Amino acid sequence: MRLRFLSAGESHGQRICVIVEGLPAGLAVNPDEINRELSRRQGGYGRGGRMEIEKDRALIVSGVRYGVTTGAPVSVEIENLDYKNWADVMAVEEPREKAKPVTRPRPGHVDLAGMLKTASMDARDVMERASARETASRVAAGSIAKLLLSEIGVRVMGMVVQIGSVKVSGGEAELHSFERAFSDPLLCCDPAVSKNMMEEIDSAREDGDTLGGVFEVAAFGVVPGLGSHTQWDRRLDGKLACALMSIPGIKGVEIGGGFSLSASKGSSVHDEIILREDECIGRRTNRAGGIEAGITNGETILVRAAMKPIPTLQKPLKTVDLATMKEASASVERSDICAVPSACVIGEAVVALTLADAALEKFGGDSLKEFKRNYEGYVEQISRFWKIER
Ligand SMILES: Cc1cc2nc3c(=O)[nH]c(=O)nc-3n(C[C@H](O)[C@H](O)[C@H](O)COP(=O)(O)O)c2cc1C
């Protein structure tokens, strides 16, 4: 692993922090780029009241000098504006008055498993960290990874293809669909479907219920040869699946045609290798999602992730109060109704981080100049067989 990151911070604590290590020196990093991605993560129809309070802004604390990386770890902090309302609840030192412990674990959340694991009688101790607020750190790190990838012509984009039971109708994912989705409030490429999705969210809200859905992330312009077939933990498909599955609420990941391929015959699944007019190698289809044997094959990377409905319900499910050991209603927190568009932005970030790591592993280099020179040399090396489409 060349590129890695580590985050810290609680949902209602003072701030979220992330350290990104392994970036080459000489990469231009402007906080505006990070902020744009952070505000995309905060958007989306169906979010709860918290996002009206927070206006995420990245404070770059280290690793960047005069607007470019120095090769040192880059650290970024994002202030939680809501902290002022939680200063006692989240105090680092003993507060004047302790908050009432949360003892009625919410089904589907970290509460019960985390309380048992950490021997805590207050779910607040675990829920503050399990909260998806932490994903602001991944989006900040991912936005820097996107900047690095753009230096070698790679573009990572996402779109929402399902909310609850409302789906975008099939077809292979094309760049223009992702471009259309970019400005939609639900990141959906079809305005009519987006409207139906909003109605589905409104109706879930009225019922005190929540929704999940599916998003898709594509990476355009990736050269063949990233990742490896040589060990299980070097396979890029495994790394992408891990990165996506680690987003809170994600319960399924598909690469390319994914689960649907299992019901078809080999002859109608595998993407035939053809000779194009320019005498280079190409494919007519991309059911493999741009990865074969854990290695990129030069086609667009396509991944999908399925998110379960948000576990905090305004009409709470049954639970057991751990303080009294009596049946009770689960605790209710301020919460989202549906966060699939946000999860999609986080998905873009983790895919970008995984691909940036794979690109750094292949091309190396302590400076951006060296990294790009190695990249260009490799593109030249394979140019008899494969040409990049810019
Ligand atoms: C962007 C985003 C926002 C989320 N918002 C909430 C929320 O408001 N309330 C909630 O209960 N869960 C929310 N979740 C989901 C929980 O964080 C998640 O279900 C929980 O941590 C348990 O993890 P698991 O579902 O992966 O098992 C959100 C997830 C994401 C990705």
Side-chain angles (χ1 to χ4, degrees):
M1 187 200 292
R2 293 289 300 247
L3 186 71
R4 56 183 183 159
F5 70 97
L6 205 59
S7 75
E10 280 81 30
S11 181
H12 299 95
Q14 298 178 46
R15 61 199 57 162
I16 301 290
C17 321
V18 62
I19 298 178
V20 187
E21 192 208 64
L23 290 163
L27 176 70
V29 178
N30 178 342
D32 293 347
E33 313 266 1
I34 307 177
N35 291 335
R36 196 185 49 223
E37 292 298 296
L38 288 174
S39 79
R40 286 184 68 224
R41 190 199 75 94
Q42 291 193 275
Y45 196 76
R47 301 299 310 269
R50 173 81 188 269
M51 288 309 127
E52 284 155 28
I53 299 170
E54 300 297 344
K55 293 279 166 279
D56 287 349
R57 310 276 310 161
L59 176 68
I60 299 177
V61 179
S62 68
V64 177
R65 182 163 178 258
Y66 301 153
V68 292
T69 54
T70 60
V74 173
S75 59
V76 180
E77 293 184 0
I78 303 152
E79 199 182 343
N80 286 329
L81 299 180
D82 204 12
Y83 175 69
K84 58 180 181 300
N85 304 315
W86 290 73
D88 271 347
V89 181
M90 294 307 295
V92 172
E93 283 149 4
E94 285 276 315
R96 279 161 304 185
E97 198 185 332
K98 277 193 178 166
K100 198 165 167 272
V102 179
T103 57
R104 290 173 291 121
R106 294 161 299 169
H109 222 302
V110 67
D111 310 3
L112 178 60
M115 287 168 88
L116 296 179
K117 178 179 169 65
T118 61
S120 169
M121 282 304 286
D122 185 355
R124 177 77 47 209
D125 288 332
V126 287
M127 62 202 253
E128 282 288 327
R129 181 64 185 155
S131 153
R133 178 85 188 125
E134 173 274 331
T135 59
S137 72
R138 303 191 215 185
V139 170
S143 67
I144 303 175
K146 279 186 176 181
L147 292 175
L148 180 68
L149 290 172
S150 73
E151 294 285 342
I152 52 169
V154 175
R155 213 167 147 197
V156 179
M157 303 182 82
M159 68 177 168
V160 171
V161 293
Q162 185 183 334
I163 299 268
S165 62
V166 183
K167 294 181 189 173
V168 173
S169 53
E172 277 189 23
E174 304 284 351
L175 178 61
H176 60 81
S177 306
F178 287 91
E179 283 174 339
R180 267 206 311 273
F182 187 81
S183 44
D184 182 78
L186 283 172
L187 300 186
C188 176
C189 63
D190 182 333
V193 178
S194 177
K195 195 167 162 279
N196 293 342
M197 287 172 168
M198 283 187 199
E199 283 167 13
E200 182 103 332
I201 293 170
D202 289 341
S203 128
R205 191 195 309 272
E206 275 161 33
D207 296 344
D209 221 325
T210 59
L211 291 171
V214 178
F215 65 82
E216 190 160 284
V217 176
F220 299 93
V222 180
V223 285
L226 303 190
S228 174
H229 58 294
T230 58
Q231 291 287 357
W232 69 271
D233 57 351
R234 293 186 183 278
R235 288 184 63 120
L236 190 66
D237 42 9
K239 289 184 182 185
L240 285 167
C242 175
L244 287 160
M245 192 63 106
S246 72
I247 300 171
I250 300 303
K251 295 297 149 199
V253 175
E254 293 183 320
I255 314 251
F259 277 64
S260 72
L261 302 182
S262 62
S264 306
K265 300 227 167 79
S267 54
S268 58
V269 163
H270 302 298
D271 308 303
E272 283 189 305
I273 300 169
I274 57 163
L275 203 55
R276 301 190 317 195
E277 275 177 10
D278 60 2
E279 308 228 309
C280 278
I281 281 166
R283 313 271 181 140
R284 270 194 209 95
T285 54
N286 181 21
R287 299 182 195 107
I291 302 180
E292 287 167 313
I295 310 172
T296 57
N297 65 7
E299 300 299 305
T300 301
I301 310 279
L302 284 176
V303 293
R304 279 181 171 221
M307 185 177 192
K308 73 181 188 184
I310 298 285
T312 306
L313 300 178
Q314 299 309 308
K315 276 194 197 154
L317 295 173
K318 272 195 185 159
T319 190
V320 171
D321 189 330
L322 297 203
T324 61
M325 285 308 282
K326 293 213 158 63
E327 286 196 351
S329 290
S331 67
V332 179
E333 295 274 317
R334 183 180 51 196
S335 192
D336 298 325
I337 309 296
C338 171
V340 182
S342 293
C344 178
V345 176
I346 303 157
E348 288 177 34
V350 300
V351 166
L353 282 158
T354 308
L355 292 179
D357 175 44
L360 283 166
E361 196 172 347
K362 176 129 184 77
F363 305 120
D366 291 306
S367 67
L368 185 65
K369 200 170 162 187
E370 192 181 357
F371 171 72
K372 285 176 80 170
R373 195 174 58 228
N374 294 345
Y375 166 81
E376 295 296 348
Y378 174 72
V379 169
E380 169 62 27
Q381 178 190 306
I382 59 172
S383 63
R384 188 172 155 228
F385 313 102
W386 185 87
K387 271 201 186 59
I388 193 146
E389 285 178 12
R390 301 216 192 249

